[in-house]
Amino acid sequence: MSSGDLLLWVVLPYVTLAIFIGGHIWRYRYDKFGWTTRSSQLYESRLLRWGSPLFHFGILAVVVGHVAGLVIPESWTDAIGISEGVYHAFAVGVGSIAGFCTLVGLALLIYRRRTVGPVFRATTRMDKVMYFFLALVIVLGVFNTVSGAVPSVEGDYNYREGVSVWWRGIFWLRPQPELMAEAPIGFQAHAVVAMILFALWPFTRLVHVFSAPLFYLWRPYVVYRSRGDQPARPDRAGWSATEPVDR
């Protein structure tokens, strides 16, 4: 095992985790007013109306797919009767559609940000860096998904026996860098760029992910009553006409 492999697949993941967690804590404590998406809907809504849903729903499907592929061991799906062939076909089909929608949505958002004057002027340098790495990680993810359907590109590589095992080992404090060292270059590049993106995450507008108003799903109903159900209130004394006072 080379020192480069140890640096990439052992040191870098833990450095990324430390920055990701510590950066969010710092940002929340010292930059609460900056914890926002910096919405630009008032400047332009036509492109946003198409790009935002495509990107957000697409990335949600991508996240669900990554959770299924990285967190759930292959032995679990085998135990419930889902063969690797069926799982692979479903993952490639759904993953390709989700990745394509995410990529199209992101392309529309970047085009909007570059061509609409007020939106472009509101774009920070960190926004540009974030968009670059976000686009790169999505492109690499789509490439790996599509190439997985073409045996001549990635061979017979099964990422659930390599990348997934390495990823789970990080959280169990038992990383296996040799598994990533043997992975195809596409998966290696995707993992490295993803770690860079997660290290940048706390310092970009991506923090708004953790401010999603999920509490709306279980908050109680707000009861409104019409004014007719309430007794009429007397006029305020300050509004009544004043009468002359005899002295």
Side-chain angles (χ1 to χ4, degrees), residues 62-244:
V62 168
V63 170
V64 172
H66 276 70
V67 170
L70 296 175
V71 177
I72 302 176
E74 184 178 354
S75 58
W76 290 18
T77 53
D78 290 339
I80 61 176
I82 301 178
S83 66
E84 182 58 26
V86 172
Y87 177 90
H88 180 73
F90 181 81
V92 170
V94 176
S96 299
I97 296 174
F100 177 77
C101 291
T102 305
L103 200 56
V104 171
L106 182 62
L108 286 175
L109 294 177
I110 294 176
Y111 174 79
R112 170 182 178 270
R113 188 160 292 277
R114 183 62 186 87
T115 57
V116 178
V119 180
F120 181 72
R121 286 191 293 271
T123 303
T124 66
R125 291 182 179 179
M126 188 56 73
D127 288 336
K128 297 175 184 178
V129 174
M130 180 272 293
Y131 275 117
F132 172 78
F133 282 101
L134 183 60
L136 185 57
V137 76
I138 294 173
V139 169
L140 290 171
V142 172
F143 169 78
N144 290 331
T145 300
V146 174
S147 63
V150 184
S152 60
V153 177
E154 297 289 2
D156 295 327
Y157 181 73
N158 184 0
Y159 73 91
R160 301 182 74 196
E161 296 178 349
V163 177
S164 300
V165 177
W166 163 79
W167 189 85
R168 291 193 298 269
I170 293 172
F171 298 94
W172 291 109
L173 302 181
R174 294 197 302 268
Q176 302 180 52
E178 66 277 4
L179 295 177
M180 284 303 297
E182 297 170 356
I185 187 65
F187 286 92
Q188 292 180 347
H190 183 63
V192 170
V193 176
M195 285 188 283
I196 295 174
L197 178 63
F198 275 97
L200 294 171
W201 191 304
F203 314 105
T204 68
R205 67 177 64 218
L206 293 176
V207 294
H208 79 277
V209 171
F210 300 106
S211 300
L214 299 179
F215 64 90
Y216 276 90
L217 298 175
W218 57 77
R219 73 169 184 171
Y221 292 106
V222 178
V223 179
Y224 292 93
R225 292 183 295 182
S226 65
R227 293 178 60 88
D229 297 336
Q230 301 177 1
R233 294 181 298 176
D235 293 336
R236 294 176 57 184
W239 295 352
S240 60
T242 59
E243 298 180 358

